[in-house]
Each structure stands twice: as structure tokens, then as C-alpha cells.
Amino acid sequence: MQADAWTPPPVLLTVDLVILTLRQSRLCVLLVERGEDPFNGMRALPGGFLNNDREEIVDAARRELHEETGLNVDRVHLEQLAIYGSVDRDPRGRVVSVAHLAIVPDLPEPVAGTDAKAAAWVPAETVLAGEIDMAFDHLQIVTDGIERARSHLEFTALATAFCSEPFTIAELQQVYEAVWGTPLDTRNFYRKVRATTGFVVPDTAGARSTGGRPARLYRAGPNTTLLPPLTRPHATTPDAETTREEPT
Amino acid sequence: MQADAWTPPPVLLTVDLVILTLRQSRLCVLLVERGEDPFNGMRALPGGFLNNDREEIVDAARRELHEETGLNVDRVHLEQLAIYGSVDRDPRGRVVSVAHLAIVPDLPEPVAGTDAKAAAWVPAETVLAGEIDMAFDHLQIVTDGIERARSHLEFTALATAFCSEPFTIAELQQVYEAVWGTPLDTRNFYRKVRATTGFVVPDTAGARSTGGRPARLYRAGPNTTLLPPLTRPHATTPDAETTREEPT
DNA sequence: CAAATAGTGTCTTTGAGACACTATTGA
DNA sequence: TCAATAGTGTCTCAAAGACACTATTTG
């Protein structure tokens, strides 16, 4: 160890948000267009620096989330994702980003950004395919965030965070299908969800009709962990056959 | 956003390490004794500040790991755990810690610390029971790290990181039993491990005897993810304890 | 030989997926 | 009435756990 004159190097801390939602049964992520260098004009995740050195990281994330979505932030799912702190990720200097994953229900069409910069929902598929020019290492962050969501759907009640309450089982299934990108059997899904204790609870209200028999309504249940888990179809063998049911 | 005179507040970045190993079939964590304020004399995780603003975070973690264990760091498991950045966690100011999880095989008795501060392996059980006075929020970090390890044993080949190669299936089982704290059926475990593709591969060497029939030897296989997973016995009691506390 | 540990076979239970079937609405 | 969606019953298959059994070593 060296003399006590040495002091550790300071860094700048930002929060970045992977905000996911379902729009028309497609998984979408909220991206803004950068209005300044570096990466001027490219797409980026919503985020920004800490306001001051007394601001909690999670509060900074909540603040950004509220600014971008206009939502009452207390009710949305927000969790820490990972930290991205590579030396060269930001040309301005040593900027370390604390990435967060946020899940919100479908919002009224315009993103109620109080901010001037253009914000837009972009299909996850488009982003993951690399079709969007992303600033910094934000493509990596989005990729990690989506994978986190996919995994959490298996073991936690995260899917309910995508739904406006009350919701139907069919709506919940659409979440799974959109996030995982796989079709699921309606009937097995229905039984599975109802058999998982504390996942959903019946809503007092009646039913909702969409051209067929009205569906019962539910709300998120008390449990956050799914026992047993709702396992996604892992590609064990390249048996990618979608065995379709015979039309009757 | 405000005028361009405003600059974001800098923070100090540390890396902290939850280093786990098995000693006499017990899960242990490496703790050091602090030799200075704050928290002088209390136990803490190994860790420290970035050396300079060109040092990658993972390199700082590797450096600390090497200093504390003397191991060739290239071969040990090291992953980012979470970030802990609560405003009041360090009385010296705004210090944000990037916690890491490291898994090492059982080491020769003395911890080859090049550092003066006393380092010791402490049973995980003792720490989790709150019997150790821990500095900062390090008890929380250890708790999160152990839970991460428990979870990763199910879905990844992390258990092999606890073993010196070559190892026997029985040794691998001891890892699971120690980390999960549950006894497992030897025979079912044996079949399960061997049925999981790419988990372990037979070693060319012969066998190892411990008073009975000698056991075959294995090495870590090519796969890091376990398909199918090796599920731990979940307590079938519904939730109640799932207060997922976010890292601050 | 017995004691000890390694490794196999096989039964039972459970849960996931496939899919026929019934129920309840709107057009 | 039919088309459409909600919800139930039941079969089959595969994986997990229980556990009797065989195999190979040391003392």
C-alpha cells in the first residue's frame, strides 16, 4: 500500500432503464433519440446522471421512469439489472451505468414524455436483430434486460406487471407468448396458472367479453415466486416442429 | 435539464468480493478484519477502491481476489453480483460498491494473504445467523451472494468451481449438500449428474478410494448451463419470505 | 469374512403437454 | 343457428424421488 496522499479515482454514475411493455401483443422497449454528442441522433435507453450526491440510485431510476412514462412509479416493477462500467464505454470519461429493468402495462399511445427528446416504443425483435443504431453499450444492456425478463417469467410473477388490473388469463398468456416468443397451449396454460398458488387471485368484478364466452378477471396474487415454476420450452432438441392441433 | 454549468456528482467506486469455498464439507466465506475506521475491528468482505480511472471493474475484482487467495485467478469463477450504493452506507461519503461472487476450490489451510489484515474462512451458517459483526452493508451482500450461489447450482455448472479437478461425483454432491443445506440421495444424484449432458466428463486417470469401492474421476464438462436443471428441494410452503430486497 | 463406499435397476408419483370435449357469449 | 373464445377432463410420456440391489475396494 502507498502513502496516505493517494485518493481513489472518482467516477460518474448514471442510471439507465430498460422499460418493457406489451403493445399489440408484441414486446417493446422504450428508446429515446439522443440530442447531443456523443452518439448524437442515435437511439439510447432513457437515463441520466444522479441529480446530486444525496440521491439514492433507485430514486434516480424512479425519477427517470416517471419522466419518460408519466406513470405513478410506486406501482410498477423496477429492479436493478447490472452495472456496466467499461473504461471505454463513454468517450466523455469514466461513466459507470447502473442498468435497471422496468415493466409497465400498455400505456396510452403517446409516450407522455415531459422531455423534449423523442421517445418511442420499439419492438424488442427489431432491437435484438441489431436493426437500430444504439448509443454506448445500450444494445448489450437491452439484450441482458430482455433475457432477465424471459427468465423471471419462469420463476416469478413478473408477467402480472405487464397487465393492467384486472386482467384475464388469456392476457397473461399473451405476455408469456410475446416475451418468450413461443406459442403456448391455452388450456394447459390456464390450468397451470390457476394451479400455481398465489400467482393470481379472482377479481370481484364480472367478466370481459371479446366475441366469445366472457373471461373471468384476475389480479396479481400475493406470491412473487412461482411454485412450481412455469417452465419455458427450452430448446433441448432442435425439434422446432410446431405441432398444430387439428381444426375441428 | 439545467444549464450547462451543472456537472454530475462524482462517486467513489469499490469492488467487494463474496468468496465462497467448501471446507470440511461446510460452505465458508472469506472475511477480513478491518484495521481502520470506519468499522475498525469489525469483519468485512475483501475489496477496495479502483486503483485508477483506467482500471476495469472486473480487473479490480481479479486483483483483490488474487491478493486475498493467492490463486491463479484465470481459473476461478468470478461474476458480478449487484451494486450497493445507498447514500448512507459509508460514513466517509458517497461510496458505491460493485459486489462480486467468486467460487474457489478448497485452499491449503492458511489464506495466503499478502496483506497484513487478518483473513479467515467463516462458515456461511455463522454469518447468515448474524453472529458476526459486519462492517457496512456487507451482511446483506453476503446473504445475496450465497442466495445467488444456491440458485446457480440449479441451473449452471457452478458446483464444479468448488472442486479441485479431478473430482468424484460424491465430492460434487457434497457441494450441493453444503450450499443448499439439504441431504440428497446419493444414487439419484449420481444418475442425474451423469444424465445431464456436458456437466461432467470422465477423467482419464483411474479412481480414488476412501475406504470403499474407488470412485471414478471427472472434470468439468463443456456446458455451463444445466439441461435439465438440477432442482433443489423447494420448501412447498407458499411464499411469505420472498421479500425480494433490492440492492441499494 | 464384514464394513464401507460406488454404482445400477426399477417402481411410484408427479407434472407437462396433447387434445377431445363442454360452456357461454355475440352476430 | 354458427363462430369464437373460455374453461374442463383425461390420456400419455418423461423426469424426480424412494429404495432394493449389485460391485469393488480396505481392514
Side-chain angles (χ1 to χ4, degrees):
Chain A
M1 287 301 149
Q2 296 301 349
D4 37 353
W6 180 82
T7 55
V11 305
L12 299 184
L13 213 60
T14 67
V15 294
D16 285 314
L17 290 166
V18 180
I19 310 176
L20 300 180
T21 198
L22 234 62
R23 296 183 70 74
Q24 297 132 34
S25 303
R26 298 178 71 183
L27 181 66
C28 293
V29 58
L30 189 66
L31 298 180
V32 300
E33 191 176 324
R34 281 188 63 81
E36 54 189 355
D37 276 325
F39 302 105
N40 193 356
M42 295 176 71
R43 302 282 194 163
L45 294 172
F49 291 104
L50 289 185
N51 260 352
N52 59 72
D53 67 1
R54 299 292 302 165
E55 184 177 44
E56 294 287 355
I57 294 169
V58 65
D59 289 335
R62 283 202 199 97
R63 176 173 51 77
E64 293 287 344
L65 181 57
H66 177 74
E67 284 175 12
E68 294 297 337
T69 65
L71 281 176
N72 172 13
V73 167
D74 299 334
R75 307 193 52 199
V76 308
H77 178 93
L78 180 65
E79 66 176 288
Q80 201 186 94
L81 190 54
I83 185 173
Y84 298 81
S86 193
V87 168
D88 296 318
R89 65 183 292 278
D90 191 322
R92 291 168 295 185
R94 193 68 191 267
V95 178
V96 171
S97 168
V98 184
H100 289 75
L101 177 66
I103 309 293
V104 302
D106 195 3
L107 297 173
E109 177 56 61
V111 174
T114 63
D115 222 319
K117 55 194 170 189
W121 292 110
V122 181
E125 213 182 348
T126 308
V127 179
L128 293 181
E131 296 174 21
I132 308 279
D133 267 339
M134 298 279 285
F136 306 105
D137 47 7
H138 286 190
L139 175 57
Q140 182 65 54
I141 300 179
V142 170
T143 304
D144 292 350
I146 291 172
E147 180 47 39
R148 171 77 67 95
R150 284 179 172 154
S151 170
H152 269 35
L153 248 45
E154 295 191 79
F155 307 107
T156 77
L158 182 66
T160 59
F162 280 96
C163 299
S164 309
E165 296 188 325
F167 51 83
T168 67
I169 302 289
E171 285 163 2
L172 197 62
Q173 182 180 345
Q174 285 177 12
V175 172
Y176 277 89
E177 293 184 328
V179 177
W180 284 348
T182 3
L184 299 173
D185 184 280
T186 317
R187 302 152 292 185
N188 291 334
F189 184 83
Y190 190 95
R191 247 189 307 98
K192 190 72 168 70
V193 168
R194 300 211 43 188
T196 303
T197 50
F199 189 8
V200 297
V201 293
D203 189 70
T204 53
R208 180 184 304 163
S209 175
T210 52
R213 171 176 176 174
R216 298 176 199 159
L217 296 172
Y218 296 86
R219 296 180 168 273
N223 286 11
T224 58
T225 56
L226 263 31
L227 250 43
L230 229 152
T231 54
R232 72 176 130 165
H234 281 111
T236 320
T237 47
D239 186 43
E241 290 271 76
T242 23
T243 32
R244 292 184 61 105
E245 183 182 350
E246 298 271 27
T248 48
Chain B
M1 287 300 166
Q2 295 303 344
D4 36 353
W6 179 82
T7 56
V11 303
L12 299 184
L13 213 61
T14 67
V15 294
D16 285 313
L17 290 166
V18 179
I19 310 174
L20 299 180
T21 197
L22 233 62
R23 297 183 67 75
Q24 296 129 34
S25 302
R26 300 176 70 183
L27 180 66
C28 294
V29 59
L30 189 65
L31 298 181
V32 300
E33 191 176 323
R34 280 187 65 81
E36 56 189 354
D37 277 325
F39 302 105
N40 192 358
M42 294 176 72
R43 302 283 194 162
L45 294 172
F49 291 103
L50 289 185
N51 262 352
N52 58 73
D53 68 1
R54 299 292 304 165
E55 184 177 44
E56 292 288 354
I57 294 170
V58 65
D59 289 335
R62 283 203 199 95
R63 175 172 51 75
E64 292 286 344
L65 181 57
H66 177 75
E67 285 175 10
E68 294 296 336
T69 65
L71 281 176
N72 173 14
V73 167
D74 298 333
R75 308 193 52 202
V76 308
H77 178 93
L78 180 65
E79 67 176 287
Q80 200 187 97
L81 190 54
I83 184 172
Y84 298 82
S86 192
V87 167
D88 297 319
R89 64 183 292 278
D90 192 320
R92 292 168 296 185
R94 193 68 191 265
V95 178
V96 171
S97 167
V98 184
H100 289 75
L101 176 66
I103 309 294
V104 302
D106 196 2
L107 297 173
E109 179 56 60
V111 174
T114 62
D115 223 317
K117 54 195 170 185
W121 292 109
V122 180
E125 212 181 349
T126 308
V127 178
L128 293 181
E131 297 174 21
I132 307 279
D133 268 339
M134 299 278 284
F136 307 104
D137 47 7
H138 286 191
L139 175 56
Q140 183 64 55
I141 299 178
V142 170
T143 304
D144 292 350
I146 290 172
E147 180 47 39
R148 171 78 66 97
R150 283 179 173 155
S151 171
H152 269 35
L153 285 199
E154 295 191 77
F155 308 107
T156 78
L158 183 66
T160 58
F162 281 96
C163 299
S164 309
E165 295 188 326
F167 51 83
T168 67
I169 302 287
E171 286 163 2
L172 198 63
Q173 182 179 345
Q174 285 177 13
V175 172
Y176 277 89
E177 294 183 327
V179 177
W180 283 349
T182 6
L184 298 172
D185 185 279
T186 317
R187 301 151 295 185
N188 291 334
F189 183 83
Y190 189 94
R191 246 186 309 97
K192 189 73 169 72
V193 167
R194 300 212 42 189
T196 304
T197 50
F199 189 10
V200 298
V201 293
D203 190 70
T204 53
R208 180 184 304 163
S209 175
T210 51
R213 171 175 175 175
R216 298 176 200 159
L217 296 173
Y218 295 86
R219 296 182 169 273
N223 287 10
T224 57
T225 55
L226 264 31
L227 247 42
L230 230 151
T231 53
R232 74 175 127 164
H234 282 108
T236 28
T237 56
D239 249 20
E241 99 292 345
T242 325
T243 3
R244 140 182 296 292
E245 69 288 279
E246 300 273 333
T248 56

